[in-house]
Amino acid sequence: MNNQIAYITRREHFNAAHRLFKADFSDEKNLEVFGKCSNPNWHGHNYTLFVTIKGTVDAETGFVMNLKELSRIIRTEVIDKLDHKNINVEVDFMQGKLASTENLAISIWEVLVDSLKPFSTVLLHCIKVQETENNFVEYYG
Amino acid sequence: MNNQIAYITRREHFNAAHRLFKADFSDEKNLEVFGKCSNPNWHGHNYTLFVTIKGTVDAETGFVMNLKELSRIIRTEVIDKLDHKNINVEVDFMQGKLASTENLAISIWEVLVDSLKPFSTVLLHCIKVQETENNFVEYYG
Amino acid sequence: MNNQIAYITRREHFNAAHRLFKADFSDEKNLEVFGKCSNPNWHGHNYTLFVTIKGTVDAETGFVMNLKELSRIIRTEVIDKLDHKNINVEVDFMQGKLASTENLAISIWEVLVDSLKPFSTVLLHCIKVQETENNFVEYYG
Amino acid sequence: MNNQIAYITRREHFNAAHRLFKADFSDEKNLEVFGKCSNPNWHGHNYTLFVTIKGTVDAETGFVMNLKELSRIIRTEVIDKLDHKNINVEVDFMQGKLASTENLAISIWEVLVDSLKPFSTVLLHCIKVQETENNFVEYYG
Amino acid sequence: MNNQIAYITRREHFNAAHRLFKADFSDEKNLEVFGKCSNPNWHGHNYTLFVTIKGTVDAETGFVMNLKELSRIIRTEVIDKLDHKNINVEVDFMQGKLASTENLAISIWEVLVDSLKPFSTVLLHCIKVQETENNFVEYYG
Amino acid sequence: MNNQIAYITRREHFNAAHRLFKADFSDEKNLEVFGKCSNPNWHGHNYTLFVTIKGTVDAETGFVMNLKELSRIIRTEVIDKLDHKNINVEVDFMQGKLASTENLAISIWEVLVDSLKPFSTVLLHCIKVQETENNFVEYYG
């Protein structure tokens, strides 16, 4: 059972406020493009984050990676910065970006790719961000 | 099959921003009482609302109440006012109230009890508001 | 731990076709009252059934009632008659009734109240029938 | 954040009746091959549809594609034709085909590939059709 | 908005091993009564616990009870004793009892009724323990 | 509609006990590496298994593979050996292996690849094992 590649996924949650808008659009244009998501008084979501990593199964532990360690990294680097926060205003890795689910997924990827570099036996495979029951984004780097 | 009482429940959703705080508390006191929910920059949730009504089953239709009609009332009177809104700032029936799940449930009850008055054969039975997978409030009037 | 009353619930599924209509209504009247649910060519659902019974916890077994026995009764008396069937056409206990979720719940109650009579230590407490993610009916007898 | 490929998925629902059978099989043969799914009186399901599209994230909007637009297309071209309908009898794009989940997924793909042609920046990636909690089909073209 | 009674529910999880058997039954009798649940080598579940409390909504906080406080009590008094444990062997409040879901619910009630005594404004209302997707027990004291 | 490749997935469940540990580690070392999962008295989970197979859609049946047949094989070869069992002690295909979710997924793959050999038109594509709501493993061979 050596050298077998498996994928493990950890689910985490964050509840945050956001608004979709461009500063150089008029209010009318923002409403036209982003609909009710452009509300200047904000709205919010219970976001669900799925982090998938890929690697060989360690013969000593039976793990691709220790999930406690993975969960600790995701919480420290991502969840603590997003949970009960305003994505547009307070989240360092989202500054200067439209607060869309697509950009959230890509930015979380960029944060975690760096954080996982010390773990030479695994690769980040997918970031999935679910905004509501009806829509989610996947990013594979 | 006459005069039999049944309960029907309709589920609806709204995504909104809110903040838990009291204007006459200091920031430190708000943080102590409400934790990260007191973030002055707001956060938000995908709220799920369950409206349960009680009544006899109509022999003509087999319904306690037509769910299309019930759904229309909930959307017009409650969802349209809450969805993609800031609960503290923009929702008429939450003005002057702490934006807790308990107060949301009670206020939605008060709105719907009025809206359902024309439907003399049914009674509002329960308002359930789910804020996250891990907590919800039920109010029975 | 004697004489303590608890409630146990068993979930089962059935997938069935149905149509909401009255034979003495015109097609137009049926469409007006029942909407797209009156489609003469049928439509269908994955129904979920929750059967709750109430009783004292048996000191010998720790059970209100053996769930294997309860499940066997529900399957024999209810699920086998509804699953992959047309509710209007083929289900004996729904003949002559409007195939609404309300009437389904009441009729399943009537079937199971009889079937549970030999079990003198328990009482049927609630039949809950969920038609979609967004609506369900509860009947307490 | 240019030229990054992401995948967005939209979930929709439809409730429909169907029957699995071949006209040139005897009733016994249909029962043998398709089991209770061959019931001549029909049965039905709450189907869940997941449509995944792939594209670069637009710098102006932060979107791969506007979900309101995607949802509008899915509803007009697919859901309105399937919801509260009989798949075997009434759905134009299923005529002459066995009403299996596999064929549903392939046929919905064919409809949406055409409908999405005007959107030159995105590609249809996957159609997933879930028939019950216990089975689903994915088709990638 | 004073003196209004609402119900709040907190969901928690524990993953545990157990076995249903009576020491004074033969193996055959245990198998007959408890089926595969009597396996002497144990089996286990992801249990979900719902704790519902009832009380007036505090005018100062908008809460029936602070959920952080409720969650802390449930974790300290219940979850820490059950999670990743063997219910028959290691859980103090289950010693000498059959490890059925009914007895789990009643025993958790007894623990929490005591722990909640210092909170004079609330009452424990319901303990719900879900063992699998298909069955759960509710106990109301 | 010939030669079109689709993927079908069947979901099954098993409830089992397990323990993560290495016999040649001290108790302290096992606790350090595996945390509370190393409890010598066992703990357990409701595992969910998703089996995905890939193949062309049969023109005669509209199926990639008959789901009744696939479900029968999964139950006989996998579920009956795992359900209500102790994975470390009683499951033939897990002997001598760490009872991690990764090793479970790989071992189930190896069992099913063999069992599906007689079905020359399909290939096993993915084994997904979900241990809790928050983590799962996927293995593609």
Side-chain angles (χ1 to χ4, degrees):
Chain A
M1 200 169 278
N2 287 312
N3 299 321
Q4 285 161 309
I5 303 283
Y7 297 77
I8 62 170
T9 298
R10 177 75 189 171
R11 186 182 77 148
E12 303 281 353
H13 296 278
F14 57 96
N15 308 326
H18 82 146
R19 179 195 171 195
L20 296 181
F21 78 110
K22 281 186 73 78
D24 54 341
F25 280 4
S26 66
D27 284 359
E28 290 73 22
K29 177 75 174 170
N30 274 318
L31 187 63
E32 184 195 321
V33 174
F34 299 108
K36 56 188 179 181
C37 298
S38 71
N39 179 2
N41 289 311
W42 318 101
H43 67 285
H45 297 288
N46 300 340
Y47 290 92
T48 309
L49 169 65
F50 297 83
V51 176
T52 303
I53 69 166
K54 164 186 186 175
T56 52
V57 179
D58 184 275
E60 192 85 335
T61 61
F63 291 157
V64 165
M65 179 178 175
N66 194 317
L67 275 176
K68 283 185 301 180
E69 187 70 10
L70 177 58
S71 177
R72 191 191 56 75
I73 291 168
I74 302 171
R75 284 168 186 260
T76 310
E77 304 298 329
V78 177
I79 302 299
D80 287 353
K81 293 182 175 174
L82 284 163
D83 191 36
H84 285 74
K85 293 285 162 43
N86 184 313
I87 298 174
N88 299 66
V89 174
E90 298 175 291
V91 181
D92 56 4
F93 58 73
M94 289 299 292
Q95 292 314 296
K97 301 174 187 171
L98 266 154
S100 67
T101 316
E102 285 90 334
N103 283 346
L104 258 179
I106 293 171
S107 301
I108 292 171
W109 171 282
E110 288 167 354
V111 169
L112 287 178
V113 149
D114 277 352
S115 308
L116 288 167
K117 273 188 187 148
F119 298 84
S120 60
T121 59
V122 301
L123 286 174
L124 184 58
H125 176 68
C126 182
I127 296 296
K128 175 177 166 180
V129 179
Q130 182 155 348
E131 195 188 61
T132 74
E133 282 187 326
N134 293 323
N135 61 75
F136 58 83
V137 166
E138 290 159 304
Y139 182 65
Y140 294 86
Chain B
M1 199 169 278
N2 286 312
N3 300 319
Q4 285 161 310
I5 303 283
Y7 298 76
I8 62 170
T9 298
R10 177 74 191 173
R11 187 181 77 147
E12 302 281 350
H13 296 278
F14 57 96
N15 308 325
H18 82 145
R19 179 195 172 195
L20 296 181
F21 78 111
K22 281 186 71 80
D24 54 342
F25 280 3
S26 67
D27 284 0
E28 290 73 22
K29 177 74 175 171
N30 274 318
L31 186 63
E32 185 196 320
V33 175
F34 300 107
K36 56 188 178 182
C37 298
S38 71
N39 180 3
N41 289 312
W42 319 101
H43 67 285
H45 296 288
N46 301 339
Y47 291 91
T48 309
L49 169 65
F50 298 84
V51 176
T52 303
I53 68 167
K54 166 187 184 175
T56 51
V57 179
D58 185 276
E60 191 86 336
T61 61
F63 292 158
V64 165
M65 180 179 173
N66 193 317
L67 276 175
K68 283 184 302 181
E69 187 69 10
L70 178 58
S71 177
R72 190 190 59 74
I73 292 168
I74 302 171
R75 285 169 185 258
T76 309
E77 302 299 328
V78 178
I79 302 300
D80 287 354
K81 293 182 174 175
L82 284 163
D83 190 37
H84 285 73
K85 292 284 161 47
N86 184 312
I87 297 173
N88 300 67
V89 174
E90 298 175 290
V91 181
D92 56 6
F93 59 73
M94 289 300 291
Q95 292 314 296
K97 303 174 187 170
L98 266 151
S100 67
T101 316
E102 285 90 335
N103 283 345
L104 256 179
I106 293 170
S107 301
I108 292 171
W109 172 281
E110 289 167 353
V111 169
L112 287 178
V113 149
D114 278 352
S115 308
L116 288 167
K117 272 189 187 148
F119 299 83
S120 60
T121 60
V122 300
L123 286 174
L124 185 57
H125 177 68
C126 182
I127 296 296
K128 175 177 167 180
V129 179
Q130 183 154 347
E131 195 188 61
T132 74
E133 281 187 327
N134 294 323
N135 61 75
F136 58 84
V137 166
E138 290 159 304
Y139 182 66
Y140 295 86
Chain C
M1 200 168 277
N2 288 312
N3 300 320
Q4 286 162 308
I5 304 282
Y7 298 76
I8 62 169
T9 299
R10 176 77 190 171
R11 186 181 77 148
E12 303 282 350
H13 296 279
F14 57 95
N15 307 325
H18 81 144
R19 179 194 171 194
L20 297 180
F21 77 111
K22 281 186 72 81
D24 54 341
F25 279 4
S26 66
D27 283 0
E28 290 72 21
K29 178 74 174 170
N30 275 317
L31 185 64
E32 184 195 321
V33 175
F34 299 108
K36 56 189 176 180
C37 298
S38 71
N39 180 3
N41 289 312
W42 318 101
H43 67 284
H45 296 289
N46 301 339
Y47 290 91
T48 308
L49 168 66
F50 298 83
V51 176
T52 302
I53 68 166
K54 167 188 186 174
T56 53
V57 180
D58 184 276
E60 192 86 334
T61 61
F63 292 157
V64 165
M65 179 178 174
N66 194 317
L67 276 175
K68 283 184 302 180
E69 187 69 10
L70 178 57
S71 177
R72 190 189 57 74
I73 292 168
I74 301 170
R75 285 170 185 258
T76 309
E77 303 299 328
V78 177
I79 302 299
D80 288 353
K81 293 181 175 176
L82 283 163
D83 190 37
H84 285 74
K85 292 285 161 47
N86 184 311
I87 298 174
N88 300 66
V89 174
E90 298 176 290
V91 181
D92 56 5
F93 58 74
M94 290 300 291
Q95 292 315 295
K97 302 175 186 170
L98 265 152
S100 67
T101 315
E102 286 89 335
N103 283 346
L104 257 179
I106 293 171
S107 300
I108 292 171
W109 172 282
E110 289 167 353
V111 169
L112 287 178
V113 150
D114 278 351
S115 308
L116 288 167
K117 273 189 185 148
F119 298 84
S120 60
T121 60
V122 300
L123 286 174
L124 185 58
H125 177 68
C126 182
I127 296 296
K128 175 177 167 180
V129 179
Q130 183 155 348
E131 194 188 61
T132 74
E133 281 188 327
N134 294 323
N135 61 73
F136 58 84
V137 166
E138 289 159 305
Y139 181 64
Y140 295 85
Chain D
M1 199 168 279
N2 287 312
N3 299 320
Q4 286 161 309
I5 303 282
Y7 298 76
I8 62 170
T9 298
R10 177 75 190 172
R11 186 181 77 147
E12 302 282 351
H13 297 278
F14 57 95
N15 307 326
H18 82 144
R19 180 195 171 194
L20 296 181
F21 78 110
K22 281 186 71 80
D24 54 342
F25 279 4
S26 66
D27 283 0
E28 289 73 21
K29 177 75 174 170
N30 274 317
L31 187 63
E32 184 195 320
V33 175
F34 299 108
K36 56 188 177 181
C37 298
S38 71
N39 180 2
N41 289 312
W42 318 101
H43 67 285
H45 296 288
N46 300 340
Y47 290 91
T48 309
L49 169 65
F50 298 82
V51 176
T52 303
I53 68 167
K54 167 187 186 173
T56 52
V57 179
D58 184 275
E60 192 83 337
T61 61
F63 292 157
V64 165
M65 179 178 174
N66 194 316
L67 276 175
K68 282 184 303 181
E69 187 69 11
L70 178 58
S71 177
R72 191 191 57 76
I73 292 168
I74 301 171
R75 285 168 186 260
T76 310
E77 304 298 329
V78 177
I79 302 300
D80 288 354
K81 293 182 175 174
L82 284 163
D83 191 37
H84 285 74
K85 292 285 161 47
N86 184 311
I87 298 174
N88 300 66
V89 174
E90 298 175 292
V91 181
D92 56 5
F93 58 74
M94 290 299 291
Q95 292 315 296
K97 301 174 188 170
L98 266 152
S100 67
T101 316
E102 285 89 335
N103 284 345
L104 257 179
I106 293 172
S107 301
I108 292 171
W109 172 282
E110 289 167 353
V111 168
L112 287 178
V113 151
D114 277 352
S115 308
L116 289 167
K117 272 189 186 148
F119 299 83
S120 60
T121 60
V122 300
L123 286 174
L124 185 57
H125 176 67
C126 182
I127 296 297
K128 174 176 167 180
V129 179
Q130 183 154 349
E131 194 188 61
T132 74
E133 281 188 326
N134 293 323
N135 61 74
F136 58 83
V137 166
E138 290 159 304
Y139 182 65
Y140 295 87
Chain E
M1 200 169 276
N2 288 311
N3 300 320
Q4 285 162 309
I5 304 282
Y7 298 77
I8 62 169
T9 298
R10 177 74 189 173
R11 186 182 77 148
E12 302 282 351
H13 296 278
F14 56 96
N15 307 325
H18 82 145
R19 179 195 172 195
L20 296 181
F21 78 111
K22 281 186 72 79
D24 54 341
F25 280 3
S26 66
D27 283 0
E28 289 73 21
K29 178 74 175 170
N30 274 317
L31 186 63
E32 185 195 321
V33 175
F34 299 107
K36 55 189 179 180
C37 298
S38 71
N39 180 3
N41 289 311
W42 318 101
H43 67 284
H45 296 288
N46 300 339
Y47 290 91
T48 308
L49 169 65
F50 297 83
V51 176
T52 303
I53 68 167
K54 166 187 184 174
T56 52
V57 180
D58 184 274
E60 192 85 334
T61 61
F63 292 157
V64 165
M65 179 179 175
N66 193 317
L67 276 175
K68 282 184 302 179
E69 187 68 11
L70 178 58
S71 177
R72 190 190 56 75
I73 292 168
I74 302 171
R75 284 169 187 259
T76 309
E77 304 298 329
V78 177
I79 302 299
D80 288 353
K81 293 182 175 175
L82 284 164
D83 190 36
H84 285 74
K85 293 284 163 43
N86 184 312
I87 297 174
N88 299 66
V89 174
E90 298 175 291
V91 181
D92 57 3
F93 57 74
M94 290 299 292
Q95 292 315 295
K97 301 174 188 169
L98 266 154
S100 67
T101 316
E102 284 89 334
N103 284 344
L104 257 179
I106 293 170
S107 301
I108 292 171
W109 171 282
E110 287 167 355
V111 169
L112 287 178
V113 150
D114 277 352
S115 308
L116 288 168
K117 272 189 187 148
F119 299 83
S120 61
T121 59
V122 300
L123 287 174
L124 184 58
H125 176 68
C126 182
I127 297 296
K128 175 178 167 180
V129 179
Q130 182 154 350
E131 195 188 60
T132 74
E133 280 187 328
N134 293 323
N135 61 76
F136 58 83
V137 166
E138 289 158 305
Y139 182 65
Y140 295 85
Chain F
M1 199 169 277
N2 287 311
N3 300 320
Q4 284 161 311
I5 303 284
Y7 298 77
I8 63 170
T9 297
R10 177 75 189 171
R11 186 181 77 147
E12 303 282 351
H13 296 278
F14 57 96
N15 307 325
H18 81 144
R19 180 195 171 194
L20 296 181
F21 78 110
K22 280 186 73 79
D24 55 342
F25 279 3
S26 67
D27 283 0
E28 289 73 22
K29 177 74 174 171
N30 274 318
L31 186 63
E32 185 195 320
V33 175
F34 299 107
K36 57 188 178 181
C37 298
S38 71
N39 180 3
N41 289 311
W42 318 101
H43 67 285
H45 296 289
N46 301 340
Y47 290 91
T48 309
L49 168 65
F50 298 83
V51 176
T52 303
I53 68 166
K54 166 188 184 174
T56 51
V57 178
D58 185 275
E60 192 85 336
T61 62
F63 292 157
V64 165
M65 180 179 173
N66 193 316
L67 275 175
K68 283 185 301 179
E69 186 70 10
L70 177 58
S71 177
R72 190 190 57 75
I73 292 169
I74 301 170
R75 284 168 185 259
T76 309
E77 304 297 329
V78 178
I79 301 300
D80 288 353
K81 293 182 174 174
L82 284 162
D83 190 38
H84 285 74
K85 292 284 161 47
N86 184 311
I87 298 174
N88 299 66
V89 174
E90 298 175 291
V91 180
D92 56 5
F93 58 74
M94 289 300 291
Q95 292 314 295
K97 302 174 188 170
L98 267 152
S100 67
T101 316
E102 285 89 335
N103 283 346
L104 256 180
I106 293 171
S107 301
I108 292 171
W109 172 282
E110 290 167 353
V111 168
L112 287 179
V113 149
D114 277 352
S115 308
L116 288 168
K117 272 188 186 148
F119 299 82
S120 60
T121 60
V122 300
L123 286 174
L124 185 57
H125 177 68
C126 182
I127 296 297
K128 175 177 167 180
V129 179
Q130 182 153 349
E131 194 187 61
T132 74
E133 281 188 327
N134 294 323
N135 61 75
F136 58 83
V137 166
E138 290 159 305
Y139 181 65
Y140 295 86

